[in-house]
Every structure is written in C-alpha cells, then in structure tokens.
mmCIF file of all heavy atoms in Angstrom:
data_model
loop_
_atom_site.group_PDB
_atom_site.id
_atom_site.type_symbol
_atom_site.label_atom_id
_atom_site.label_comp_id
_atom_site.label_asym_id
_atom_site.label_seq_id
_atom_site.Cartn_x
_atom_site.Cartn_y
_atom_site.Cartn_z
ATOM 1 N N GLY A 1 5.902 11.372 -7.468
ATOM 2 C CA GLY A 1 6.317 12.464 -8.349
ATOM 3 C C GLY A 1 5.145 13.216 -8.871
ATOM 4 O O GLY A 1 3.991 13.067 -8.408
ATOM 5 N N LEU A 2 5.387 14.050 -9.893
ATOM 6 C CA LEU A 2 4.378 14.856 -10.544
ATOM 7 C C LEU A 2 4.074 14.235 -11.896
ATOM 8 O O LEU A 2 4.970 13.923 -12.674
ATOM 9 C CB LEU A 2 4.906 16.272 -10.716
ATOM 10 C CG LEU A 2 4.033 17.250 -11.507
ATOM 11 C CD1 LEU A 2 2.704 17.477 -10.816
ATOM 12 C CD2 LEU A 2 4.796 18.557 -11.730
ATOM 13 N N VAL A 3 2.760 14.075 -12.164
ATOM 14 C CA VAL A 3 2.334 13.501 -13.432
ATOM 15 C C VAL A 3 1.077 14.194 -13.896
ATOM 16 O O VAL A 3 0.297 14.696 -13.065
ATOM 17 C CB VAL A 3 2.115 11.967 -13.259
ATOM 18 C CG1 VAL A 3 0.987 11.691 -12.262
ATOM 19 C CG2 VAL A 3 1.895 11.287 -14.586
ATOM 20 N N GLN A 4 0.859 14.210 -15.173
ATOM 21 C CA GLN A 4 -0.351 14.814 -15.697
ATOM 22 C C GLN A 4 -1.513 13.833 -15.597
ATOM 23 O O GLN A 4 -1.315 12.599 -15.566
ATOM 24 C CB GLN A 4 -0.163 15.213 -17.174
ATOM 25 C CG GLN A 4 0.729 16.393 -17.370
ATOM 26 C CD GLN A 4 0.758 16.859 -18.809
ATOM 27 O OE1 GLN A 4 0.529 16.112 -19.736
ATOM 28 N NE2 GLN A 4 1.049 18.150 -19.003
ATOM 29 N N ALA A 5 -2.687 14.352 -15.550
ATOM 30 C CA ALA A 5 -3.902 13.538 -15.501
ATOM 31 C C ALA A 5 -3.902 12.582 -16.700
ATOM 32 O O ALA A 5 -3.565 12.974 -17.812
ATOM 33 C CB ALA A 5 -5.141 14.393 -15.515
ATOM 34 N N GLY A 6 -4.258 11.323 -16.416
ATOM 35 C CA GLY A 6 -4.244 10.318 -17.446
ATOM 36 C C GLY A 6 -2.947 9.527 -17.498
ATOM 37 O O GLY A 6 -2.856 8.484 -18.173
ATOM 38 N N GLY A 7 -1.923 10.022 -16.799
ATOM 39 C CA GLY A 7 -0.653 9.369 -16.792
ATOM 40 C C GLY A 7 -0.545 8.227 -15.793
ATOM 41 O O GLY A 7 -1.536 7.864 -15.154
ATOM 42 N N SER A 8 0.643 7.697 -15.688
ATOM 43 C CA SER A 8 0.906 6.545 -14.812
ATOM 44 C C SER A 8 2.132 6.769 -13.919
ATOM 45 O O SER A 8 3.038 7.529 -14.283
ATOM 46 C CB SER A 8 1.126 5.277 -15.643
ATOM 47 O OG SER A 8 0.010 4.965 -16.445
ATOM 48 N N LEU A 9 2.118 6.084 -12.803
ATOM 49 C CA LEU A 9 3.253 6.072 -11.902
ATOM 50 C C LEU A 9 3.298 4.673 -11.256
ATOM 51 O O LEU A 9 2.258 4.044 -11.087
ATOM 52 C CB LEU A 9 3.126 7.118 -10.782
ATOM 53 C CG LEU A 9 3.559 8.530 -11.033
ATOM 54 C CD1 LEU A 9 3.260 9.401 -9.824
ATOM 55 C CD2 LEU A 9 5.015 8.616 -11.413
ATOM 56 N N ARG A 10 4.498 4.296 -10.864
ATOM 57 C CA ARG A 10 4.627 3.040 -10.102
ATOM 58 C C ARG A 10 5.371 3.336 -8.789
ATOM 59 O O ARG A 10 6.504 3.839 -8.842
ATOM 60 C CB ARG A 10 5.374 1.975 -10.875
ATOM 61 C CG ARG A 10 5.342 0.611 -10.175
ATOM 62 C CD ARG A 10 6.006 -0.492 -10.942
ATOM 63 N NE ARG A 10 7.449 -0.462 -10.799
ATOM 64 C CZ ARG A 10 8.238 -1.522 -10.970
ATOM 65 N NH1 ARG A 10 7.703 -2.705 -11.296
ATOM 66 N NH2 ARG A 10 9.552 -1.413 -10.835
ATOM 67 N N LEU A 11 4.723 3.057 -7.696
ATOM 68 C CA LEU A 11 5.333 3.222 -6.409
ATOM 69 C C LEU A 11 5.903 1.895 -5.937
ATOM 70 O O LEU A 11 5.378 0.827 -6.254
ATOM 71 C CB LEU A 11 4.317 3.705 -5.369
ATOM 72 C CG LEU A 11 3.516 4.974 -5.712
ATOM 73 C CD1 LEU A 11 2.606 5.351 -4.539
ATOM 74 C CD2 LEU A 11 4.443 6.103 -6.090
ATOM 75 N N SER A 12 6.986 1.982 -5.177
ATOM 76 C CA SER A 12 7.615 0.793 -4.588
ATOM 77 C C SER A 12 7.647 0.897 -3.088
ATOM 78 O O SER A 12 7.725 2.007 -2.533
ATOM 79 C CB SER A 12 9.063 0.646 -5.096
ATOM 80 O OG SER A 12 9.111 0.543 -6.506
ATOM 81 N N CYS A 13 7.556 -0.239 -2.432
ATOM 82 C CA CYS A 13 7.661 -0.295 -0.988
ATOM 83 C C CYS A 13 8.604 -1.444 -0.645
ATOM 84 O O CYS A 13 8.255 -2.609 -0.817
ATOM 85 C CB CYS A 13 6.313 -0.506 -0.337
ATOM 86 S SG CYS A 13 6.352 -0.800 1.450
ATOM 87 N N ALA A 14 9.785 -1.130 -0.179
ATOM 88 C CA ALA A 14 10.780 -2.148 0.169
ATOM 89 C C ALA A 14 10.704 -2.424 1.667
ATOM 90 O O ALA A 14 10.786 -1.506 2.493
ATOM 91 C CB ALA A 14 12.156 -1.667 -0.201
ATOM 92 N N ALA A 15 10.555 -3.721 1.980
ATOM 93 C CA ALA A 15 10.436 -4.133 3.376
ATOM 94 C C ALA A 15 11.741 -4.788 3.830
ATOM 95 O O ALA A 15 12.400 -5.487 3.055
ATOM 96 C CB ALA A 15 9.293 -5.106 3.572
ATOM 97 N N SER A 16 12.086 -4.561 5.106
ATOM 98 C CA SER A 16 13.285 -5.203 5.680
ATOM 99 C C SER A 16 12.978 -5.505 7.145
ATOM 100 O O SER A 16 12.001 -5.044 7.705
ATOM 101 C CB SER A 16 14.505 -4.297 5.554
ATOM 102 O OG SER A 16 14.311 -3.089 6.214
ATOM 103 N N GLY A 17 13.870 -6.278 7.755
ATOM 104 C CA GLY A 17 13.680 -6.679 9.153
ATOM 105 C C GLY A 17 12.916 -7.974 9.231
ATOM 106 O O GLY A 17 13.210 -8.903 8.487
ATOM 107 N N ARG A 18 11.902 -8.055 10.102
ATOM 108 C CA ARG A 18 11.165 -9.285 10.327
ATOM 109 C C ARG A 18 10.094 -9.493 9.231
ATOM 110 O O ARG A 18 8.891 -9.586 9.504
ATOM 111 C CB ARG A 18 10.511 -9.250 11.676
ATOM 112 C CG ARG A 18 11.432 -9.430 12.852
ATOM 113 C CD ARG A 18 12.027 -10.854 12.886
ATOM 114 N NE ARG A 18 11.032 -11.887 12.725
ATOM 115 C CZ ARG A 18 10.267 -12.351 13.707
ATOM 116 N NH1 ARG A 18 10.385 -11.844 14.918
ATOM 117 N NH2 ARG A 18 9.364 -13.313 13.473
ATOM 118 N N THR A 19 10.582 -9.614 8.015
ATOM 119 C CA THR A 19 9.635 -9.796 6.891
ATOM 120 C C THR A 19 8.904 -11.131 6.964
ATOM 121 O O THR A 19 7.824 -11.263 6.385
ATOM 122 C CB THR A 19 10.361 -9.658 5.544
ATOM 123 O OG1 THR A 19 11.403 -10.646 5.489
ATOM 124 C CG2 THR A 19 10.940 -8.267 5.371
ATOM 125 N N ASP A 20 9.446 -12.084 7.703
ATOM 126 C CA ASP A 20 8.774 -13.367 7.825
ATOM 127 C C ASP A 20 7.498 -13.278 8.680
ATOM 128 O O ASP A 20 6.673 -14.162 8.683
ATOM 129 C CB ASP A 20 9.729 -14.409 8.455
ATOM 130 C CG ASP A 20 10.231 -13.991 9.805
ATOM 131 O OD1 ASP A 20 10.534 -12.778 9.988
ATOM 132 O OD2 ASP A 20 10.349 -14.828 10.717
ATOM 133 N N SER A 21 7.375 -12.177 9.410
ATOM 134 C CA SER A 21 6.206 -11.965 10.259
ATOM 135 C C SER A 21 5.074 -11.248 9.540
ATOM 136 O O SER A 21 3.975 -11.103 10.085
ATOM 137 C CB SER A 21 6.576 -11.174 11.510
ATOM 138 O OG SER A 21 6.877 -9.820 11.143
ATOM 139 N N MET A 22 5.299 -10.808 8.327
ATOM 140 C CA MET A 22 4.303 -10.022 7.590
ATOM 141 C C MET A 22 3.145 -10.897 7.125
ATOM 142 O O MET A 22 3.369 -11.939 6.570
ATOM 143 C CB MET A 22 4.928 -9.296 6.404
ATOM 144 C CG MET A 22 6.026 -8.330 6.779
ATOM 145 S SD MET A 22 6.489 -7.205 5.423
ATOM 146 C CE MET A 22 6.969 -8.382 4.177
ATOM 147 N N TYR A 23 1.956 -10.403 7.305
ATOM 148 C CA TYR A 23 0.739 -11.098 6.937
ATOM 149 C C TYR A 23 0.077 -10.439 5.723
ATOM 150 O O TYR A 23 -0.457 -11.121 4.841
ATOM 151 C CB TYR A 23 -0.234 -11.150 8.090
ATOM 152 C CG TYR A 23 -1.588 -11.792 7.744
ATOM 153 C CD1 TYR A 23 -1.698 -13.155 7.584
ATOM 154 C CD2 TYR A 23 -2.710 -11.014 7.620
ATOM 155 C CE1 TYR A 23 -2.898 -13.730 7.289
ATOM 156 C CE2 TYR A 23 -3.935 -11.581 7.313
ATOM 157 C CZ TYR A 23 -4.020 -12.939 7.164
ATOM 158 O OH TYR A 23 -5.229 -13.527 6.850
ATOM 159 N N ALA A 24 0.103 -9.143 5.702
ATOM 160 C CA ALA A 24 -0.492 -8.398 4.578
ATOM 161 C C ALA A 24 0.230 -7.089 4.409
ATOM 162 O O ALA A 24 0.778 -6.535 5.389
ATOM 163 C CB ALA A 24 -1.973 -8.144 4.804
ATOM 164 N N MET A 25 0.248 -6.597 3.226
ATOM 165 C CA MET A 25 0.818 -5.286 2.896
ATOM 166 C C MET A 25 -0.253 -4.455 2.213
ATOM 167 O O MET A 25 -1.018 -4.959 1.395
ATOM 168 C CB MET A 25 2.041 -5.417 1.993
ATOM 169 C CG MET A 25 3.177 -6.206 2.596
ATOM 170 S SD MET A 25 4.595 -6.337 1.509
ATOM 171 C CE MET A 25 5.313 -4.709 1.699
ATOM 172 N N GLY A 26 -0.266 -3.207 2.567
ATOM 173 C CA GLY A 26 -1.276 -2.350 1.994
ATOM 174 C C GLY A 26 -0.771 -0.967 1.652
ATOM 175 O O GLY A 26 0.346 -0.600 2.033
ATOM 176 N N TRP A 27 -1.558 -0.224 0.916
ATOM 177 C CA TRP A 27 -1.289 1.171 0.590
ATOM 178 C C TRP A 27 -2.434 2.042 1.070
ATOM 179 O O TRP A 27 -3.603 1.680 0.904
ATOM 180 C CB TRP A 27 -1.128 1.363 -0.913
ATOM 181 C CG TRP A 27 0.122 0.816 -1.469
ATOM 182 C CD1 TRP A 27 0.317 -0.413 -2.044
ATOM 183 C CD2 TRP A 27 1.388 1.473 -1.569
ATOM 184 N NE1 TRP A 27 1.615 -0.561 -2.472
ATOM 185 C CE2 TRP A 27 2.310 0.597 -2.177
ATOM 186 C CE3 TRP A 27 1.863 2.730 -1.146
ATOM 187 C CZ2 TRP A 27 3.635 0.919 -2.421
ATOM 188 C CZ3 TRP A 27 3.202 3.041 -1.354
ATOM 189 C CH2 TRP A 27 4.063 2.153 -1.981
ATOM 190 N N PHE A 28 -2.077 3.138 1.684
ATOM 191 C CA PHE A 28 -3.032 4.156 2.092
ATOM 192 C C PHE A 28 -2.560 5.485 1.498
ATOM 193 O O PHE A 28 -1.459 5.616 1.032
ATOM 194 C CB PHE A 28 -3.066 4.287 3.621
ATOM 195 C CG PHE A 28 -3.772 3.151 4.322
ATOM 196 C CD1 PHE A 28 -3.128 1.948 4.483
ATOM 197 C CD2 PHE A 28 -5.034 3.325 4.851
ATOM 198 C CE1 PHE A 28 -3.767 0.885 5.116
ATOM 199 C CE2 PHE A 28 -5.672 2.275 5.497
ATOM 200 C CZ PHE A 28 -5.044 1.057 5.642
ATOM 201 N N ARG A 29 -3.476 6.435 1.486
ATOM 202 C CA ARG A 29 -3.088 7.785 1.024
ATOM 203 C C ARG A 29 -3.767 8.822 1.866
ATOM 204 O O ARG A 29 -4.815 8.583 2.469
ATOM 205 C CB ARG A 29 -3.420 7.950 -0.453
ATOM 206 C CG ARG A 29 -4.902 7.927 -0.771
ATOM 207 C CD ARG A 29 -5.137 7.953 -2.292
ATOM 208 N NE ARG A 29 -6.557 7.968 -2.626
ATOM 209 C CZ ARG A 29 -7.024 7.872 -3.889
ATOM 210 N NH1 ARG A 29 -6.165 7.794 -4.895
ATOM 211 N NH2 ARG A 29 -8.307 7.910 -4.122
ATOM 212 N N GLN A 30 -3.152 9.966 1.898
ATOM 213 C CA GLN A 30 -3.694 11.087 2.685
ATOM 214 C C GLN A 30 -3.489 12.394 1.946
ATOM 215 O O GLN A 30 -2.322 12.800 1.670
ATOM 216 C CB GLN A 30 -3.063 11.157 4.057
ATOM 217 C CG GLN A 30 -3.709 12.143 4.991
ATOM 218 C CD GLN A 30 -3.291 11.957 6.421
ATOM 219 O OE1 GLN A 30 -2.264 11.315 6.722
ATOM 220 N NE2 GLN A 30 -4.075 12.503 7.347
ATOM 221 N N ALA A 31 -4.583 13.043 1.610
ATOM 222 C CA ALA A 31 -4.526 14.354 0.969
ATOM 223 C C ALA A 31 -4.561 15.438 2.065
ATOM 224 O O ALA A 31 -5.052 15.194 3.148
ATOM 225 C CB ALA A 31 -5.700 14.514 0.015
ATOM 226 N N PRO A 32 -4.071 16.616 1.734
ATOM 227 C CA PRO A 32 -4.062 17.700 2.744
ATOM 228 C C PRO A 32 -5.483 17.971 3.281
ATOM 229 O O PRO A 32 -6.406 18.118 2.518
ATOM 230 C CB PRO A 32 -3.533 18.908 1.966
ATOM 231 C CG PRO A 32 -2.711 18.299 0.882
ATOM 232 C CD PRO A 32 -3.404 17.016 0.513
ATOM 233 N N GLY A 33 -5.596 18.025 4.590
ATOM 234 C CA GLY A 33 -6.887 18.318 5.207
ATOM 235 C C GLY A 33 -7.850 17.147 5.245
ATOM 236 O O GLY A 33 -8.981 17.319 5.703
ATOM 237 N N LYS A 34 -7.413 15.994 4.817
ATOM 238 C CA LYS A 34 -8.286 14.817 4.796
ATOM 239 C C LYS A 34 -7.708 13.688 5.614
ATOM 240 O O LYS A 34 -6.521 13.686 5.931
ATOM 241 C CB LYS A 34 -8.538 14.353 3.366
ATOM 242 C CG LYS A 34 -9.287 15.333 2.509
ATOM 243 C CD LYS A 34 -9.618 14.737 1.164
ATOM 244 C CE LYS A 34 -10.460 15.666 0.318
ATOM 245 N NZ LYS A 34 -10.829 15.085 -1.003
ATOM 246 N N GLU A 35 -8.556 12.752 5.990
ATOM 247 C CA GLU A 35 -8.109 11.615 6.730
ATOM 248 C C GLU A 35 -7.368 10.626 5.820
ATOM 249 O O GLU A 35 -7.576 10.611 4.597
ATOM 250 C CB GLU A 35 -9.280 10.914 7.419
ATOM 251 C CG GLU A 35 -9.965 11.734 8.491
ATOM 252 C CD GLU A 35 -11.007 10.940 9.236
ATOM 253 O OE1 GLU A 35 -11.283 9.797 8.857
ATOM 254 O OE2 GLU A 35 -11.590 11.496 10.213
ATOM 255 N N ARG A 36 -6.532 9.806 6.456
ATOM 256 C CA ARG A 36 -5.830 8.781 5.696
ATOM 257 C C ARG A 36 -6.873 7.783 5.230
ATOM 258 O O ARG A 36 -7.721 7.300 6.012
ATOM 259 C CB ARG A 36 -4.772 8.136 6.568
ATOM 260 C CG ARG A 36 -3.856 7.215 5.832
ATOM 261 C CD ARG A 36 -2.627 6.865 6.687
ATOM 262 N NE ARG A 36 -1.840 8.064 6.991
ATOM 263 C CZ ARG A 36 -0.641 8.002 7.564
ATOM 264 N NH1 ARG A 36 -0.119 6.848 7.867
ATOM 265 N NH2 ARG A 36 0.018 9.105 7.792
ATOM 266 N N GLU A 37 -6.786 7.383 3.950
ATOM 267 C CA GLU A 37 -7.744 6.451 3.419
ATOM 268 C C GLU A 37 -7.118 5.236 2.782
ATOM 269 O O GLU A 37 -5.986 5.307 2.258
ATOM 270 C CB GLU A 37 -8.654 7.149 2.377
ATOM 271 C CG GLU A 37 -7.963 7.595 1.118
ATOM 272 C CD GLU A 37 -8.931 8.045 0.055
ATOM 273 O OE1 GLU A 37 -10.173 7.973 0.253
ATOM 274 O OE2 GLU A 37 -8.459 8.475 -1.016
ATOM 275 N N PHE A 38 -7.811 4.141 2.883
ATOM 276 C CA PHE A 38 -7.373 2.869 2.326
ATOM 277 C C PHE A 38 -7.361 2.921 0.812
ATOM 278 O O PHE A 38 -8.289 3.473 0.190
ATOM 279 C CB PHE A 38 -8.302 1.755 2.820
ATOM 280 C CG PHE A 38 -8.087 0.434 2.142
ATOM 281 C CD1 PHE A 38 -7.031 -0.360 2.493
ATOM 282 C CD2 PHE A 38 -8.991 -0.005 1.168
ATOM 283 C CE1 PHE A 38 -6.867 -1.603 1.877
ATOM 284 C CE2 PHE A 38 -8.831 -1.224 0.564
ATOM 285 C CZ PHE A 38 -7.754 -2.045 0.919
ATOM 286 N N VAL A 39 -6.312 2.339 0.216
ATOM 287 C CA VAL A 39 -6.246 2.264 -1.246
ATOM 288 C C VAL A 39 -6.380 0.824 -1.703
ATOM 289 O O VAL A 39 -7.276 0.489 -2.464
ATOM 290 C CB VAL A 39 -4.939 2.870 -1.774
ATOM 291 C CG1 VAL A 39 -4.870 2.734 -3.283
ATOM 292 C CG2 VAL A 39 -4.828 4.353 -1.394
ATOM 293 N N LEU A 40 -5.449 -0.040 -1.268
ATOM 294 C CA LEU A 40 -5.545 -1.455 -1.583
ATOM 295 C C LEU A 40 -4.624 -2.244 -0.663
ATOM 296 O O LEU A 40 -3.809 -1.693 0.071
ATOM 297 C CB LEU A 40 -5.209 -1.708 -3.063
ATOM 298 C CG LEU A 40 -4.066 -0.988 -3.735
ATOM 299 C CD1 LEU A 40 -2.736 -1.402 -3.184
ATOM 300 C CD2 LEU A 40 -4.113 -1.223 -5.220
ATOM 301 N N ARG A 41 -4.835 -3.559 -0.700
ATOM 302 C CA ARG A 41 -4.139 -4.437 0.215
ATOM 303 C C ARG A 41 -3.887 -5.788 -0.458
ATOM 304 O O ARG A 41 -4.703 -6.282 -1.234
ATOM 305 C CB ARG A 41 -5.016 -4.648 1.451
ATOM 306 C CG ARG A 41 -4.536 -5.718 2.426
ATOM 307 C CD ARG A 41 -5.594 -5.849 3.526
ATOM 308 N NE ARG A 41 -5.246 -6.828 4.539
ATOM 309 C CZ ARG A 41 -5.650 -8.078 4.525
ATOM 310 N NH1 ARG A 41 -6.333 -8.567 3.488
ATOM 311 N NH2 ARG A 41 -5.316 -8.903 5.508
ATOM 312 N N LEU A 42 -2.756 -6.396 -0.145
ATOM 313 C CA LEU A 42 -2.395 -7.722 -0.618
ATOM 314 C C LEU A 42 -2.202 -8.648 0.581
ATOM 315 O O LEU A 42 -1.371 -8.366 1.455
ATOM 316 C CB LEU A 42 -1.104 -7.632 -1.438
ATOM 317 C CG LEU A 42 -0.467 -8.966 -1.844
ATOM 318 C CD1 LEU A 42 -1.381 -9.727 -2.811
ATOM 319 C CD2 LEU A 42 0.908 -8.730 -2.480
ATOM 320 N N ASN A 43 -2.984 -9.733 0.624
ATOM 321 C CA ASN A 43 -2.796 -10.764 1.636
ATOM 322 C C ASN A 43 -1.649 -11.632 1.205
ATOM 323 O O ASN A 43 -1.736 -12.318 0.191
ATOM 324 C CB ASN A 43 -4.088 -11.542 1.817
ATOM 325 C CG ASN A 43 -4.011 -12.573 2.904
ATOM 326 O OD1 ASN A 43 -3.096 -13.389 2.923
ATOM 327 N ND2 ASN A 43 -4.977 -12.556 3.802
ATOM 328 N N LEU A 44 -0.563 -11.635 1.964
ATOM 329 C CA LEU A 44 0.631 -12.344 1.556
ATOM 330 C C LEU A 44 0.464 -13.868 1.695
ATOM 331 O O LEU A 44 1.154 -14.613 1.019
ATOM 332 C CB LEU A 44 1.807 -11.864 2.381
ATOM 333 C CG LEU A 44 2.121 -10.371 2.224
ATOM 334 C CD1 LEU A 44 3.215 -9.952 3.205
ATOM 335 C CD2 LEU A 44 2.546 -10.047 0.792
ATOM 336 N N ARG A 45 -0.419 -14.285 2.561
ATOM 337 C CA ARG A 45 -0.602 -15.713 2.776
ATOM 338 C C ARG A 45 -1.414 -16.359 1.666
ATOM 339 O O ARG A 45 -1.073 -17.447 1.176
ATOM 340 C CB ARG A 45 -1.279 -15.962 4.123
ATOM 341 C CG ARG A 45 -1.423 -17.429 4.464
ATOM 342 C CD ARG A 45 -1.990 -17.574 5.864
ATOM 343 N NE ARG A 45 -1.106 -16.985 6.895
ATOM 344 C CZ ARG A 45 -1.412 -16.967 8.200
ATOM 345 N NH1 ARG A 45 -2.552 -17.491 8.622
ATOM 346 N NH2 ARG A 45 -0.567 -16.422 9.036
ATOM 347 N N TYR A 46 -2.474 -15.671 1.223
ATOM 348 C CA TYR A 46 -3.380 -16.262 0.255
ATOM 349 C C TYR A 46 -3.313 -15.596 -1.120
ATOM 350 O O TYR A 46 -3.892 -16.087 -2.071
ATOM 351 C CB TYR A 46 -4.809 -16.185 0.757
ATOM 352 C CG TYR A 46 -5.007 -16.922 2.078
ATOM 353 C CD1 TYR A 46 -5.213 -16.227 3.258
ATOM 354 C CD2 TYR A 46 -4.919 -18.291 2.150
ATOM 355 C CE1 TYR A 46 -5.370 -16.878 4.481
ATOM 356 C CE2 TYR A 46 -5.094 -18.984 3.340
ATOM 357 C CZ TYR A 46 -5.297 -18.256 4.486
ATOM 358 O OH TYR A 46 -5.478 -18.936 5.681
ATOM 359 N N GLY A 47 -2.622 -14.464 -1.191
ATOM 360 C CA GLY A 47 -2.507 -13.775 -2.466
ATOM 361 C C GLY A 47 -3.729 -12.988 -2.880
ATOM 362 O O GLY A 47 -3.796 -12.492 -3.998
ATOM 363 N N SER A 48 -4.686 -12.857 -1.994
ATOM 364 C CA SER A 48 -5.901 -12.143 -2.330
ATOM 365 C C SER A 48 -5.665 -10.633 -2.184
ATOM 366 O O SER A 48 -4.762 -10.197 -1.455
ATOM 367 C CB SER A 48 -7.042 -12.546 -1.399
ATOM 368 O OG SER A 48 -6.659 -12.409 -0.027
#
C-alpha cells in the first residue's frame, strides 16, 4: 500500500501446495527501471 516516510507496513506471503518441500523463504523487491534485489531470507530448516 501507500505509506508516509517513517511509517510501517506488514506484508504477508501465504504458501500452499508442496510446502513440505520448502527450504527457505525470501523477499525481493524491484523498483521501476531497476533490477530485482534481495531484501531478506528465512532458512526454514535452521531458523537463520
């Protein structure tokens, strides 16, 4: 959504299907005219 600088948002990602096969989940972002970039990642096996 739209938020002012300094504000907060919470994004959700719901997974379905072969969720037992998932090893890690991550977030990427892409601004107009820029390459997709890594934001963060959660290792589901170790919690790192």
Side-chain angles (χ1 to χ4, degrees):
L2 173 64
V3 64
Q4 288 188 333
S8 299
L9 276 177
R10 189 178 79 156
L11 305 184
S12 301
C13 173
S16 60
R18 286 292 312 279
T19 58
D20 59 320
S21 69
M22 299 193 303
Y23 176 73
M25 299 180 77
W27 287 95
F28 287 76
R29 65 186 182 186
Q30 188 167 18
K34 295 187 177 181
E35 293 187 356
R36 190 166 296 189
E37 66 170 357
F38 170 77
V39 178
L40 42 67
R41 172 185 181 267
L42 172 65
N43 183 308
L44 299 174
R45 183 175 299 179
Y46 301 109
S48 56

